[in-house]
Amino acid sequence: MLQKEFGGWYALVIGLLFIAEMYLSRSGWFEIGAPVLFTLGASLILHDFHVFETSYHLLTYSLIWLLADLLAYFAFPNPRPLAWGVRGIGGILAFVNYLVLFGESDASTAAIGFAIYTLLFLIISLVYRQPALFYAFTLTLPLFVAFLFRTFGVTKWIHPVMAVAILYYGAGVLLRFVKRAAGWDLSLLYSGLGLGVIVSLAAPAIGGIDAAIPVAAAATLFAVEAFAKKNVWLAFPA
C-alpha cells in the first residue's frame, strides 16, 4: 500500500490512528508509532514532490520527532515511558542536520534550516521552561544570522555574530538587574560571552582591519562582566 502513489498519505493517516489510540487507551506505549509513521509518510511525500536534498529530509524528520514530543508533553497527562526515546531521536536527527547544513554549499538552504530550528528551539525552551534548553536557541540563532548574511554576499560573519553576542549579553544584564527569570539571565550572559570568545578566536583567520572591531567588543563584554562580578579573573580574556 505504501508503494502506491498516495502511500505517504496513507502512512500519515495510520500515524493519526496511533495518536487516537494513545489518547483513548491513555497508554504512552503508542507514542512512538505516530512519529515513525509520520517520518515514513513524509519521506514518501517528499520523494513524490521530487525533493531529494538531505538537509530538507533531515529537517522534516527532526521536526516530526521533536514536535511529537512537544505536543505529547503539552497535551498528554499520562505517563510516557518512551518520551526520552522520541526526544533523543529528534535531537540526533537535528544534530546530524546541523552538520549537513553547516557544510551546505547553498547559503539560502542553510539559512532556511537554521531559521526553522531557531524558532523551534525557542518554543521548546519556553514550553519546557528550562533555561538549559535555551542554549539550543542561543547557539542556532548566530548560525542563522551568519548564513543569512552569506546569502547577501557578506562572508565576514564575525561582525553580525558579534552583534548577536552583544544583544545576548545586554538582555542577560537586563534580566539580572531586574532579578527576574532566574537562570535565563545566565543562559543569555554565558551565550554572549561564549560567542565573544568564538568570534575572537576566528577573527585572525578571517583577517582585515575591521576584524579588530568584534574582538574589541568581546573584550569589552568581559571587562563589563568582571566589573559587575568584581572578579579580576574574568578580565583576563579582555
Side-chain angles (χ1 to χ4, degrees):
M1 181 176 67
L2 295 179
Q3 297 298 323
K4 295 182 179 180
E5 183 179 358
F6 299 104
W9 301 103
Y10 291 135
L12 296 184
V13 171
I14 298 173
L16 291 175
L17 295 179
F18 270 87
I19 295 177
E21 184 62 26
M22 176 181 171
Y23 278 88
L24 292 175
S25 65
R26 299 179 181 179
S27 174
W29 291 103
F30 289 96
E31 179 179 357
I32 201 168
V36 168
L37 286 164
F38 286 166
T39 300
L40 176 59
S43 176
L44 294 173
I45 292 171
L46 288 173
H47 279 88
D48 288 342
F49 283 95
H50 305 289
V51 178
F52 303 110
E53 291 84 352
T54 302
S55 58
Y56 286 131
H57 277 259
L58 288 172
L59 174 63
T60 304
Y61 305 156
S62 59
L63 286 177
I64 288 173
W65 286 86
L66 291 173
L67 288 176
D69 170 66
L70 184 65
L71 293 175
Y73 171 83
F74 188 74
F76 189 71
N78 299 291
R80 299 172 55 210
L82 302 178
W84 280 104
V86 174
R87 201 169 298 154
I89 292 173
I92 292 172
L93 289 170
F95 175 75
V96 173
N97 199 28
Y98 269 51
L99 299 178
V100 173
L101 290 172
F102 198 77
E104 180 64 56
S105 58
D106 185 0
S108 61
T109 298
I112 292 172
F114 285 126
I116 295 174
Y117 280 127
T118 298
L119 179 60
L120 173 66
F121 286 120
L122 175 61
I123 294 173
I124 288 176
S125 61
L126 294 177
V127 170
Y128 279 102
R129 298 180 181 179
Q130 292 290 333
L133 293 176
F134 198 53
Y135 285 109
F137 163 77
T138 59
L139 169 67
T140 310
L141 179 58
L143 293 174
F144 161 65
V145 171
F147 280 97
L148 177 64
F149 274 81
R150 186 176 294 181
T151 60
F152 295 102
V154 180
T155 57
K156 290 189 176 182
W157 55 269
I158 57 175
H159 299 88
V161 169
M162 192 62 228
V164 174
I166 294 173
L167 290 176
Y168 283 167
Y169 187 79
V173 169
L174 179 61
L175 290 179
R176 182 168 60 185
F177 178 76
V178 299
K179 296 181 180 180
R180 292 187 177 182
W184 298 88
D185 58 338
L186 295 179
S187 297
L188 287 166
L189 288 169
Y190 293 156
S191 294
L193 294 174
L195 283 178
V197 172
I198 294 173
V199 167
S200 299
L201 294 175
I206 293 177
I209 299 177
D210 56 341
I213 298 175
V215 177
T220 303
L221 295 186
F222 275 93
V224 171
E225 187 66 13
F227 178 80
K229 289 190 174 182
K230 295 180 173 59
N231 187 341
V232 68
W233 293 103
L234 287 173
F236 272 92

